[in-house]
Amino acid sequence: NDLEELAEQIDRDATAVAFTGAGISAPSGVPTFRGDDGVWEKFDEGQFAYGRFQRDPEGFWDDRVDLQRELFGGEYEPNAAHEALASMGLDGHLEAILTQNTDGLHADALESVRDDASSTDDVAVTDDVAATDDATTGTAEQTLLELHGNSQRVRCTDCGKRIDGDPVFERAADGELPPTCDCGGVYKPDVVLFGEQLPGAVIQQARTLARESDVFLAIGSSLVVEPAASLPRIAASNGATVGIVNLESTPVDSSAEVVIREDVTEVLPHLQSLVNGD
Ligand code: OAD
């Protein structure tokens, strides 16, 4: 079947890259953006646009506190789909994860599977971090590119300092609008806002990974915003096998060899076990 064919290709030393969206974190309890329960049913995207932040940082932060609560207010942890991708990276079967998510769950999963691997001592684990720019972390085995940044951090728009976002969101919730850095600069959530360009180096790296991949898996994304819409197409036009795992159809389905409309927490652990020959 389709999943077996993907697994065989990945197993044959193909360079595989995963591209993820909100659907991979939905089973962890983080809401998606689109659809009936999506956050854009409750909020207007325009409230969080870069232009609004510049014009009205006070109002922006006031609304952003509510959005943060809606998105990340609960307790949430990586699920079986995040873990399957992280394990595939550790086993050398998945070169990179490109994510649109800002929830940090891929990084958490990577950390937990590495801890498990080093405690059972059956896999060689290195401590190298392939940090080439702000959006890239990961291990020697796997690159993690957080294309839209990370909602758990804030960045000072003057001095550029990045810090943990929790205390700053708390200050904003307590009425410090907008919250500011010691240097006097206004903090901004460390994410890419609507109307704001993705950093050039980040988008470049994402395109290169898409172009060089043999297998490109788009997982849990509606694939309607850029660069989500174009990365699978770049991969396909450079000869990659494109696989889409998403509950709903996407505008890119017609460019994909394999389309699987099932829950990510079913499909990805299954794929991982097929790649491992279980
Ligand atoms: P969307 O909310 O647009 O799409 C999530 C997709 O995941 C939907 O098509 C769902 O069908 C699917 N889905 C949900 N649960 C699933 C599950 N358990 N298994 C499989 N599929 C599932 O989210 P994104 O595509 O990530 O940008 O949205 C892209 C960007 O638009 C976001 O990064 C955000 C948003 O506006 C910024 O904040 C800049």
Side-chain angles (χ1 to χ4, degrees):
N1 73 19
D2 284 348
L3 203 60
E4 279 167 9
E5 277 164 32
L6 275 181
E8 268 169 36
Q9 202 182 345
I10 293 171
D11 213 10
R12 283 197 304 270
D13 263 356
T15 300
V17 168
F19 175 80
T20 69
I24 196 169
S25 295
S28 293
V30 182
T32 60
F33 294 96
R34 295 174 185 80
D36 290 346
D37 297 328
V39 292
W40 299 145
E41 292 295 311
K42 296 185 187 157
F43 295 87
D44 172 9
E45 287 180 350
Q47 291 172 274
F48 307 103
Y50 189 50
R52 167 112 195 270
F53 173 75
Q54 289 176 305
R55 232 179 14 254
D56 173 22
E58 181 177 339
F60 170 93
W61 265 102
D62 202 12
D63 290 341
R64 178 71 206 199
V65 166
D66 294 338
L67 179 68
Q68 190 82 358
R69 210 170 271 147
E70 179 74 23
L71 281 170
F72 309 117
E75 286 284 311
Y76 59 92
E77 288 180 355
N79 61 52
H82 297 105
E83 279 160 12
L85 294 183
S87 299
M88 284 171 66
L90 210 56
D91 295 342
H93 292 306
L94 188 66
E95 173 101 355
I97 299 174
L98 315 182
T99 189
Q100 302 170 90
N101 300 345
T102 64
D103 54 32
L105 287 176
H106 283 298
D108 292 349
L110 215 50
E111 204 175 309
S112 82
V113 302
R114 291 174 86 215
D115 286 350
D116 287 352
S118 53
S119 65
T120 52
D121 239 0
D122 58 355
V123 180
V125 180
T126 65
D127 279 325
D128 298 356
V129 173
T132 53
D133 61 56
D134 292 326
T136 313
T137 54
T139 64
E141 302 87 4
Q142 191 174 59
T143 299
L144 172 61
L145 200 55
E146 292 179 318
L147 294 164
H148 291 169
N150 192 310
S151 285
Q152 318 308 323
R153 288 189 313 249
V154 294
R155 181 171 185 273
C156 173
T157 50
D158 275 359
C159 71
K161 191 167 78 175
R162 286 187 162 85
I163 61 164
D164 176 25
D166 276 350
V168 175
F169 278 100
E170 264 170 44
R171 278 159 49 192
D174 289 343
E176 186 190 331
L177 296 171
T180 52
C181 174
D182 294 343
C183 81
V186 173
Y187 279 125
K188 174 179 166 291
D190 197 12
V191 298
V192 175
L193 301 176
F194 296 102
E196 194 179 16
Q197 294 287 338
L198 266 67
V202 173
I203 189 70
Q204 212 46 50
Q205 194 181 355
R207 288 199 184 115
T208 302
L209 284 162
R211 229 183 354 256
E212 291 176 352
S213 66
D214 303 311
V215 174
F216 187 94
L217 301 174
I219 299 160
S221 175
S222 56
L223 302 177
V224 293
V225 302
E226 285 299 334
S230 56
L231 288 172
R233 293 194 173 99
I234 291 174
S237 62
N238 284 277
T241 301
V242 173
I244 295 181
V245 182
N246 202 58
L247 287 180
E248 292 165 355
S249 65
T250 81
V252 188
D253 288 2
S254 55
S255 308
E257 263 89 350
V258 176
V259 177
I260 302 174
R261 297 228 176 101
E262 287 169 44
D263 193 299
V264 291
T265 56
E266 300 289 329
V267 180
L268 295 176
H270 190 190
L271 178 67
Q272 186 210 346
S273 69
L274 289 170
V275 171
N276 285 341
D278 299 348

